[in-house]
Amino acid sequence: MSAGRDRNDLRVRVATSLKSVPAEAWDACANPPATSVPSPARLESGCEAADSLSQQDTDNPFVSHAFLRALEESGCIGGRSGWSPAYLLVEDGDDRLLAAAPSFVKGHSQGEYVFDHAWADAYERAGGHYYPKLQVAAPFTPATGPRLLAADGPRAGEARAGLIAGLEALRDQTRSSSIHVTFAQEPDLGALLEAGYLERHDLQFHWGNDGFTTYDDFLATLASRKRKALKRERREALSAGITVEVLSGASLTEAVWDDFFAFYQDTGSRKWGRPYLNRRFFSLVGQALGERIVLVMARRAGRYIAGAINFRGANTLYGRNWGCIEDHPFLHFELCYHQAIDYAIAHGLARVEAGAQGEHKIARGYRPVITRSAHHLADPGLRRAVSSYLVTEREHIAAAREALAAESPFRRDGHSDEA
């Protein structure tokens, strides 16, 4: 399947599976050498300061060959999932991989966390066909990261442009209505906007490490009343004789995955009706990325009762899924947010990204951060309508971020006070 003509000596093609793409070549595109990253914890006010939390992680796990292959091999993508892999590859005249995109032909809008259902409904009611569409994303993962994966080198910009041209060719070949690049970061976003894509904003809540050496150091930056509330919350979360274990690598046994998957299913069934990830995925990703998984498990009366899974990048801990089989006050906050902060401090990580939604994270020291996506709509009428809508939506997102930032539990005077 061809996605486009050569750009000089560059060839753009499509792979329907990563089986045919060497892991080393893909990962060299997915995580090139780091660019300068601003300090993530010096957040005061304004969009630029907040967005420093979303700068590039130098080793993003969710676009790695191993993560995507685990999704493929487990059947979470491909088959009847509605996520049909159509990975774009840009190669030079010597067949060296210069750039790639985790792109998918989709027949629905599930598992994306950037919601376009209203766009689809309006277009269908107007007589158009919104599906299929092209999605460039880490499936089921609302984490900002690279999307136009370009290996470091003098041709990175040219190869990235090849991906953008390839997406448009693939859209035409598949008769897709649109292209959606979600949770994008620079320089991908800038290249897409220059190519005429529309920019969309949303909010997440991230925690920044200001050089803390202990959790108490972090608590000292909070107002006294907020600090006392979090101390009490953490005590009460474990008051029923609950202990916490943090598991990685060889500790991620099949028995552990059995327990965690039961928790995940329970939460997924209550929230969405059908969890996106299956049991085999956790075995496969544990084998492939076990040292980069941080699984926080709660034990009571001799058995695990709850758990939260995180993935570790070079400087970021990404919170992903949580579940439980017993309800205990504040246990969700302890496993998902407080333990993540503990881990980030202990391992010198710059930030914690706690996933989509959740204004309750603010009281636990997480700050509102703007996330971005880019969208290309083929139909001029749909494009005009969405473009107008996005102007207003971005204004609302900016206002919401400002209002939420005002609810921060952090001290205003910059000085410590007594506990």
Side-chain angles (χ1 to χ4, degrees), residues 41-68:
R42 305 222 176 261
L43 304 180
E44 297 298 337
S45 62
C47 187
E48 289 184 6
D51 288 346
S52 69
L53 280 178
S54 295
Q55 297 293 327
Q56 178 176 335
D57 192 304
T58 56
D59 193 9
N60 187 289
F62 304 117
V63 292
S64 69
H65 193 280
F67 185 84
L68 294 169

PDB file of all heavy atoms in Angstrom, residues 41-68:
ATOM      1  N   ALA A  41       8.604  22.843  37.081  1.00  0.00           N
ATOM      2  CA  ALA A  41       7.933  23.118  38.342  1.00  0.00           C
ATOM      3  C   ALA A  41       7.740  24.596  38.609  1.00  0.00           C
ATOM      4  O   ALA A  41       7.061  24.965  39.546  1.00  0.00           O
ATOM      5  CB  ALA A  41       8.738  22.489  39.486  1.00  0.00           C
ATOM      6  N   ARG A  42       8.345  25.469  37.804  1.00  0.00           N
ATOM      7  CA  ARG A  42       8.235  26.894  38.068  1.00  0.00           C
ATOM      8  C   ARG A  42       7.005  27.441  37.364  1.00  0.00           C
ATOM      9  O   ARG A  42       7.085  28.058  36.326  1.00  0.00           O
ATOM     10  CB  ARG A  42       9.507  27.603  37.637  1.00  0.00           C
ATOM     11  CG  ARG A  42      10.723  26.977  38.303  1.00  0.00           C
ATOM     12  CD  ARG A  42      11.701  28.034  38.766  1.00  0.00           C
ATOM     13  NE  ARG A  42      12.804  27.403  39.482  1.00  0.00           N
ATOM     14  CZ  ARG A  42      12.878  27.351  40.789  1.00  0.00           C
ATOM     15  NH1 ARG A  42      11.939  27.866  41.540  1.00  0.00           N
ATOM     16  NH2 ARG A  42      13.904  26.780  41.365  1.00  0.00           N
ATOM     17  N   LEU A  43       5.876  27.128  37.961  1.00  0.00           N
ATOM     18  CA  LEU A  43       4.592  27.493  37.367  1.00  0.00           C
ATOM     19  C   LEU A  43       3.968  28.616  38.167  1.00  0.00           C
ATOM     20  O   LEU A  43       3.710  28.477  39.347  1.00  0.00           O
ATOM     21  CB  LEU A  43       3.654  26.283  37.383  1.00  0.00           C
ATOM     22  CG  LEU A  43       4.191  25.032  36.690  1.00  0.00           C
ATOM     23  CD1 LEU A  43       3.180  23.938  36.793  1.00  0.00           C
ATOM     24  CD2 LEU A  43       4.508  25.329  35.254  1.00  0.00           C
ATOM     25  N   GLU A  44       3.739  29.700  37.533  1.00  0.00           N
ATOM     26  CA  GLU A  44       3.044  30.790  38.195  1.00  0.00           C
ATOM     27  C   GLU A  44       1.696  30.983  37.533  1.00  0.00           C
ATOM     28  O   GLU A  44       0.724  30.363  37.907  1.00  0.00           O
ATOM     29  CB  GLU A  44       3.907  32.070  38.120  1.00  0.00           C
ATOM     30  CG  GLU A  44       5.240  31.913  38.854  1.00  0.00           C
ATOM     31  CD  GLU A  44       5.056  31.662  40.337  1.00  0.00           C
ATOM     32  OE1 GLU A  44       3.998  32.033  40.878  1.00  0.00           O
ATOM     33  OE2 GLU A  44       5.971  31.092  40.951  1.00  0.00           O
ATOM     34  N   SER A  45       1.633  31.815  36.520  1.00  0.00           N
ATOM     35  CA  SER A  45       0.386  32.017  35.808  1.00  0.00           C
ATOM     36  C   SER A  45       0.693  32.151  34.337  1.00  0.00           C
ATOM     37  O   SER A  45       1.824  32.436  33.942  1.00  0.00           O
ATOM     38  CB  SER A  45      -0.329  33.274  36.306  1.00  0.00           C
ATOM     39  OG  SER A  45       0.472  34.410  36.074  1.00  0.00           O
ATOM     40  N   GLY A  46      -0.332  31.928  33.527  1.00  0.00           N
ATOM     41  CA  GLY A  46      -0.161  32.064  32.087  1.00  0.00           C
ATOM     42  C   GLY A  46       0.065  30.732  31.428  1.00  0.00           C
ATOM     43  O   GLY A  46       0.617  29.800  32.001  1.00  0.00           O
ATOM     44  N   CYS A  47      -0.339  30.648  30.159  1.00  0.00           N
ATOM     45  CA  CYS A  47      -0.325  29.397  29.423  1.00  0.00           C
ATOM     46  C   CYS A  47       1.074  28.868  29.209  1.00  0.00           C
ATOM     47  O   CYS A  47       1.323  27.683  29.313  1.00  0.00           O
ATOM     48  CB  CYS A  47      -1.017  29.592  28.079  1.00  0.00           C
ATOM     49  SG  CYS A  47      -1.267  28.091  27.139  1.00  0.00           S
ATOM     50  N   GLU A  48       2.048  29.740  28.931  1.00  0.00           N
ATOM     51  CA  GLU A  48       3.383  29.269  28.633  1.00  0.00           C
ATOM     52  C   GLU A  48       3.981  28.547  29.824  1.00  0.00           C
ATOM     53  O   GLU A  48       4.605  27.507  29.684  1.00  0.00           O
ATOM     54  CB  GLU A  48       4.283  30.434  28.230  1.00  0.00           C
ATOM     55  CG  GLU A  48       3.941  31.012  26.857  1.00  0.00           C
ATOM     56  CD  GLU A  48       4.917  32.085  26.455  1.00  0.00           C
ATOM     57  OE1 GLU A  48       5.901  32.296  27.187  1.00  0.00           O
ATOM     58  OE2 GLU A  48       4.691  32.718  25.412  1.00  0.00           O
ATOM     59  N   ALA A  49       3.800  29.097  31.018  1.00  0.00           N
ATOM     60  CA  ALA A  49       4.356  28.451  32.205  1.00  0.00           C
ATOM     61  C   ALA A  49       3.720  27.104  32.438  1.00  0.00           C
ATOM     62  O   ALA A  49       4.393  26.126  32.740  1.00  0.00           O
ATOM     63  CB  ALA A  49       4.162  29.350  33.430  1.00  0.00           C
ATOM     64  N   ALA A  50       2.411  27.032  32.297  1.00  0.00           N
ATOM     65  CA  ALA A  50       1.732  25.758  32.514  1.00  0.00           C
ATOM     66  C   ALA A  50       2.200  24.717  31.519  1.00  0.00           C
ATOM     67  O   ALA A  50       2.414  23.567  31.857  1.00  0.00           O
ATOM     68  CB  ALA A  50       0.220  25.953  32.389  1.00  0.00           C
ATOM     69  N   ASP A  51       2.398  25.128  30.267  1.00  0.00           N
ATOM     70  CA  ASP A  51       2.745  24.168  29.245  1.00  0.00           C
ATOM     71  C   ASP A  51       4.166  23.663  29.364  1.00  0.00           C
ATOM     72  O   ASP A  51       4.540  22.721  28.679  1.00  0.00           O
ATOM     73  CB  ASP A  51       2.507  24.762  27.861  1.00  0.00           C
ATOM     74  CG  ASP A  51       1.024  24.873  27.561  1.00  0.00           C
ATOM     75  OD1 ASP A  51       0.253  24.256  28.292  1.00  0.00           O
ATOM     76  OD2 ASP A  51       0.658  25.584  26.617  1.00  0.00           O
ATOM     77  N   SER A  52       4.988  24.248  30.206  1.00  0.00           N
ATOM     78  CA  SER A  52       6.321  23.696  30.393  1.00  0.00           C
ATOM     79  C   SER A  52       6.251  22.286  30.939  1.00  0.00           C
ATOM     80  O   SER A  52       7.164  21.490  30.767  1.00  0.00           O
ATOM     81  CB  SER A  52       7.144  24.582  31.343  1.00  0.00           C
ATOM     82  OG  SER A  52       6.646  24.529  32.655  1.00  0.00           O
ATOM     83  N   LEU A  53       5.150  21.940  31.613  1.00  0.00           N
ATOM     84  CA  LEU A  53       4.982  20.577  32.099  1.00  0.00           C
ATOM     85  C   LEU A  53       4.820  19.579  30.962  1.00  0.00           C
ATOM     86  O   LEU A  53       5.073  18.397  31.132  1.00  0.00           O
ATOM     87  CB  LEU A  53       3.747  20.491  33.002  1.00  0.00           C
ATOM     88  CG  LEU A  53       3.917  20.964  34.434  1.00  0.00           C
ATOM     89  CD1 LEU A  53       2.595  20.852  35.154  1.00  0.00           C
ATOM     90  CD2 LEU A  53       4.979  20.179  35.152  1.00  0.00           C
ATOM     91  N   SER A  54       4.391  20.026  29.804  1.00  0.00           N
ATOM     92  CA  SER A  54       4.096  19.109  28.712  1.00  0.00           C
ATOM     93  C   SER A  54       5.206  19.063  27.664  1.00  0.00           C
ATOM     94  O   SER A  54       4.975  18.634  26.551  1.00  0.00           O
ATOM     95  CB  SER A  54       2.771  19.518  28.051  1.00  0.00           C
ATOM     96  OG  SER A  54       1.710  19.362  28.953  1.00  0.00           O
ATOM     97  N   GLN A  55       6.406  19.522  28.029  1.00  0.00           N
ATOM     98  CA  GLN A  55       7.513  19.460  27.093  1.00  0.00           C
ATOM     99  C   GLN A  55       7.932  18.009  26.894  1.00  0.00           C
ATOM    100  O   GLN A  55       7.574  17.116  27.626  1.00  0.00           O
ATOM    101  CB  GLN A  55       8.686  20.301  27.608  1.00  0.00           C
ATOM    102  CG  GLN A  55       8.377  21.783  27.725  1.00  0.00           C
ATOM    103  CD  GLN A  55       8.149  22.438  26.380  1.00  0.00           C
ATOM    104  OE1 GLN A  55       8.757  22.041  25.406  1.00  0.00           O
ATOM    105  NE2 GLN A  55       7.281  23.435  26.337  1.00  0.00           N
ATOM    106  N   GLN A  56       8.769  17.818  25.886  1.00  0.00           N
ATOM    107  CA  GLN A  56       9.120  16.474  25.433  1.00  0.00           C
ATOM    108  C   GLN A  56       9.803  15.643  26.509  1.00  0.00           C
ATOM    109  O   GLN A  56      10.779  16.053  27.107  1.00  0.00           O
ATOM    110  CB  GLN A  56      10.030  16.585  24.219  1.00  0.00           C
ATOM    111  CG  GLN A  56      10.507  15.250  23.682  1.00  0.00           C
ATOM    112  CD  GLN A  56      11.311  15.409  22.423  1.00  0.00           C
ATOM    113  OE1 GLN A  56      11.147  16.382  21.705  1.00  0.00           O
ATOM    114  NE2 GLN A  56      12.185  14.477  22.155  1.00  0.00           N
ATOM    115  N   ASP A  57       9.274  14.451  26.712  1.00  0.00           N
ATOM    116  CA  ASP A  57       9.976  13.439  27.473  1.00  0.00           C
ATOM    117  C   ASP A  57      10.947  12.774  26.511  1.00  0.00           C
ATOM    118  O   ASP A  57      10.608  12.469  25.366  1.00  0.00           O
ATOM    119  CB  ASP A  57       8.983  12.409  28.027  1.00  0.00           C
ATOM    120  CG  ASP A  57       9.623  11.494  29.059  1.00  0.00           C
ATOM    121  OD1 ASP A  57      10.633  10.860  28.732  1.00  0.00           O
ATOM    122  OD2 ASP A  57       9.112  11.408  30.179  1.00  0.00           O
ATOM    123  N   THR A  58      12.155  12.549  26.951  1.00  0.00           N
ATOM    124  CA  THR A  58      13.184  12.033  26.046  1.00  0.00           C
ATOM    125  C   THR A  58      13.069  10.540  25.783  1.00  0.00           C
ATOM    126  O   THR A  58      13.863   9.991  25.022  1.00  0.00           O
ATOM    127  CB  THR A  58      14.580  12.328  26.621  1.00  0.00           C
ATOM    128  OG1 THR A  58      14.675  11.777  27.939  1.00  0.00           O
ATOM    129  CG2 THR A  58      14.818  13.833  26.683  1.00  0.00           C
ATOM    130  N   ASP A  59      12.098   9.889  26.391  1.00  0.00           N
ATOM    131  CA  ASP A  59      11.909   8.453  26.144  1.00  0.00           C
ATOM    132  C   ASP A  59      10.453   8.106  26.408  1.00  0.00           C
ATOM    133  O   ASP A  59      10.121   7.428  27.371  1.00  0.00           O
ATOM    134  CB  ASP A  59      12.845   7.631  27.035  1.00  0.00           C
ATOM    135  CG  ASP A  59      12.922   6.171  26.600  1.00  0.00           C
ATOM    136  OD1 ASP A  59      12.388   5.845  25.522  1.00  0.00           O
ATOM    137  OD2 ASP A  59      13.519   5.363  27.334  1.00  0.00           O
ATOM    138  N   ASN A  60       9.573   8.570  25.535  1.00  0.00           N
ATOM    139  CA  ASN A  60       8.135   8.377  25.722  1.00  0.00           C
ATOM    140  C   ASN A  60       7.771   6.914  25.468  1.00  0.00           C
ATOM    141  O   ASN A  60       8.005   6.405  24.372  1.00  0.00           O
ATOM    142  CB  ASN A  60       7.376   9.291  24.761  1.00  0.00           C
ATOM    143  CG  ASN A  60       5.884   9.280  25.010  1.00  0.00           C
ATOM    144  OD1 ASN A  60       5.218   8.297  24.726  1.00  0.00           O
ATOM    145  ND2 ASN A  60       5.366  10.378  25.528  1.00  0.00           N
ATOM    146  N   PRO A  61       7.203   6.222  26.450  1.00  0.00           N
ATOM    147  CA  PRO A  61       6.958   4.784  26.274  1.00  0.00           C
ATOM    148  C   PRO A  61       5.834   4.443  25.313  1.00  0.00           C
ATOM    149  O   PRO A  61       5.810   3.358  24.732  1.00  0.00           O
ATOM    150  CB  PRO A  61       6.618   4.315  27.695  1.00  0.00           C
ATOM    151  CG  PRO A  61       6.072   5.533  28.374  1.00  0.00           C
ATOM    152  CD  PRO A  61       6.826   6.692  27.793  1.00  0.00           C
ATOM    153  N   PHE A  62       4.893   5.362  25.098  1.00  0.00           N
ATOM    154  CA  PHE A  62       3.649   5.008  24.408  1.00  0.00           C
ATOM    155  C   PHE A  62       3.755   5.016  22.885  1.00  0.00           C
ATOM    156  O   PHE A  62       2.834   4.550  22.215  1.00  0.00           O
ATOM    157  CB  PHE A  62       2.520   5.922  24.877  1.00  0.00           C
ATOM    158  CG  PHE A  62       2.334   5.897  26.361  1.00  0.00           C
ATOM    159  CD1 PHE A  62       2.533   7.048  27.125  1.00  0.00           C
ATOM    160  CD2 PHE A  62       1.998   4.725  27.015  1.00  0.00           C
ATOM    161  CE1 PHE A  62       2.370   7.017  28.499  1.00  0.00           C
ATOM    162  CE2 PHE A  62       1.840   4.689  28.391  1.00  0.00           C
ATOM    163  CZ  PHE A  62       2.027   5.838  29.134  1.00  0.00           C
ATOM    164  N   VAL A  63       4.837   5.546  22.360  1.00  0.00           N
ATOM    165  CA  VAL A  63       5.067   5.433  20.919  1.00  0.00           C
ATOM    166  C   VAL A  63       6.229   4.492  20.633  1.00  0.00           C
ATOM    167  O   VAL A  63       6.703   4.421  19.504  1.00  0.00           O
ATOM    168  CB  VAL A  63       5.314   6.812  20.272  1.00  0.00           C
ATOM    169  CG1 VAL A  63       4.049   7.647  20.300  1.00  0.00           C
ATOM    170  CG2 VAL A  63       6.473   7.540  20.940  1.00  0.00           C
ATOM    171  N   SER A  64       6.672   3.768  21.648  1.00  0.00           N
ATOM    172  CA  SER A  64       7.752   2.809  21.443  1.00  0.00           C
ATOM    173  C   SER A  64       7.251   1.609  20.645  1.00  0.00           C
ATOM    174  O   SER A  64       6.065   1.271  20.646  1.00  0.00           O
ATOM    175  CB  SER A  64       8.312   2.339  22.789  1.00  0.00           C
ATOM    176  OG  SER A  64       7.361   1.542  23.479  1.00  0.00           O
ATOM    177  N   HIS A  65       8.163   0.972  19.963  1.00  0.00           N
ATOM    178  CA  HIS A  65       7.845  -0.242  19.209  1.00  0.00           C
ATOM    179  C   HIS A  65       7.240  -1.294  20.128  1.00  0.00           C
ATOM    180  O   HIS A  65       6.242  -1.946  19.787  1.00  0.00           O
ATOM    181  CB  HIS A  65       9.134  -0.763  18.554  1.00  0.00           C
ATOM    182  CG  HIS A  65       8.936  -1.812  17.512  1.00  0.00           C
ATOM    183  ND1 HIS A  65       8.713  -3.147  17.825  1.00  0.00           N
ATOM    184  CD2 HIS A  65       8.932  -1.752  16.153  1.00  0.00           C
ATOM    185  CE1 HIS A  65       8.598  -3.845  16.709  1.00  0.00           C
ATOM    186  NE2 HIS A  65       8.712  -3.027  15.680  1.00  0.00           N
ATOM    187  N   ALA A  66       7.784  -1.444  21.327  1.00  0.00           N
ATOM    188  CA  ALA A  66       7.329  -2.488  22.248  1.00  0.00           C
ATOM    189  C   ALA A  66       5.887  -2.263  22.684  1.00  0.00           C
ATOM    190  O   ALA A  66       5.092  -3.213  22.751  1.00  0.00           O
ATOM    191  CB  ALA A  66       8.245  -2.537  23.472  1.00  0.00           C
ATOM    192  N   PHE A  67       5.527  -1.021  23.004  1.00  0.00           N
ATOM    193  CA  PHE A  67       4.164  -0.738  23.455  1.00  0.00           C
ATOM    194  C   PHE A  67       3.163  -0.994  22.334  1.00  0.00           C
ATOM    195  O   PHE A  67       2.132  -1.663  22.537  1.00  0.00           O
ATOM    196  CB  PHE A  67       4.068   0.704  23.937  1.00  0.00           C
ATOM    197  CG  PHE A  67       2.728   1.069  24.531  1.00  0.00           C
ATOM    198  CD1 PHE A  67       2.442   0.784  25.850  1.00  0.00           C
ATOM    199  CD2 PHE A  67       1.768   1.713  23.766  1.00  0.00           C
ATOM    200  CE1 PHE A  67       1.211   1.120  26.407  1.00  0.00           C
ATOM    201  CE2 PHE A  67       0.534   2.051  24.312  1.00  0.00           C
ATOM    202  CZ  PHE A  67       0.259   1.754  25.633  1.00  0.00           C
ATOM    203  N   LEU A  68       3.455  -0.490  21.149  1.00  0.00           N
ATOM    204  CA  LEU A  68       2.533  -0.662  20.028  1.00  0.00           C
ATOM    205  C   LEU A  68       2.447  -2.122  19.599  1.00  0.00           C
ATOM    206  O   LEU A  68       1.363  -2.610  19.246  1.00  0.00           O
ATOM    207  CB  LEU A  68       2.970   0.224  18.863  1.00  0.00           C
ATOM    208  CG  LEU A  68       2.872   1.731  19.126  1.00  0.00           C
ATOM    209  CD1 LEU A  68       3.572   2.516  18.023  1.00  0.00           C
ATOM    210  CD2 LEU A  68       1.424   2.177  19.274  1.00  0.00           C
TER     211      LEU A  68
END
